[in-house]
Amino acid sequence: MSQSNLEKQEAKLKALNQKIKDEKNKIEQRLGKQIISQANLDYGTLATPQIKMIAKKVAAFLNQSQNNQ
């Protein structure tokens, strides 16, 4: 393969990786928004320790649900 073909493939790979990263961010934001909405949480009162605690509780619940299937 010539250098220009490698550069083109590298550019495509970088673009694909960025697209994957952007999609992951969208999903994370939607998930967080839904959790906040469903739990009737106030954005103004959510501090980092509370966010971490909620995330741990959700993760534990989901892991438990998966283990019970």
Side-chain angles (χ1 to χ4, degrees), residues 32-48:
K33 185 176 180 179
Q34 283 300 311
I35 291 170
I36 290 167
S37 174
Q38 294 295 318
N40 294 320
L41 299 173
D42 179 15
Y43 285 97
T45 61
L46 286 176
T48 301

Side-chain angles (χ1 to χ4, degrees), residues 3 15-16 19 21 32 35-37 43 47-48 51 66-67:
Q3 184 65 24
L16 182 57
K19 188 174 180 179
K21 183 178 176 182
I35 291 170
I36 290 167
S37 174
Y43 285 97
T48 301
I51 293 169
Q66 287 176 346
N67 289 338

Side-chain angles (χ1 to χ4, degrees), residues 1-64:
M1 240 186 245
S2 70
Q3 184 65 24
S4 88
N5 282 344
L6 288 174
E7 289 171 351
K8 287 178 185 178
Q9 290 213 352
E10 185 178 34
K12 286 180 183 180
L13 180 59
K14 285 182 181 180
L16 182 57
N17 283 335
Q18 185 62 45
K19 188 174 180 179
I20 291 168
K21 183 178 176 182
D22 291 346
E23 190 61 28
K24 284 175 65 176
N25 285 335
K26 283 185 207 175
I27 292 168
E28 289 171 356
Q29 289 174 356
R30 287 193 306 251
L31 176 62
K33 185 176 180 179
Q34 283 300 311
I35 291 170
I36 290 167
S37 174
Q38 294 295 318
N40 294 320
L41 299 173
D42 179 15
Y43 285 97
T45 61
L46 286 176
T48 301
Q50 289 172 306
I51 293 169
K52 287 182 179 181
M53 181 216 32
I54 292 167
K56 284 181 184 180
K57 287 182 177 184
V58 170
F61 173 78
L62 293 173
N63 288 332
Q64 182 181 15

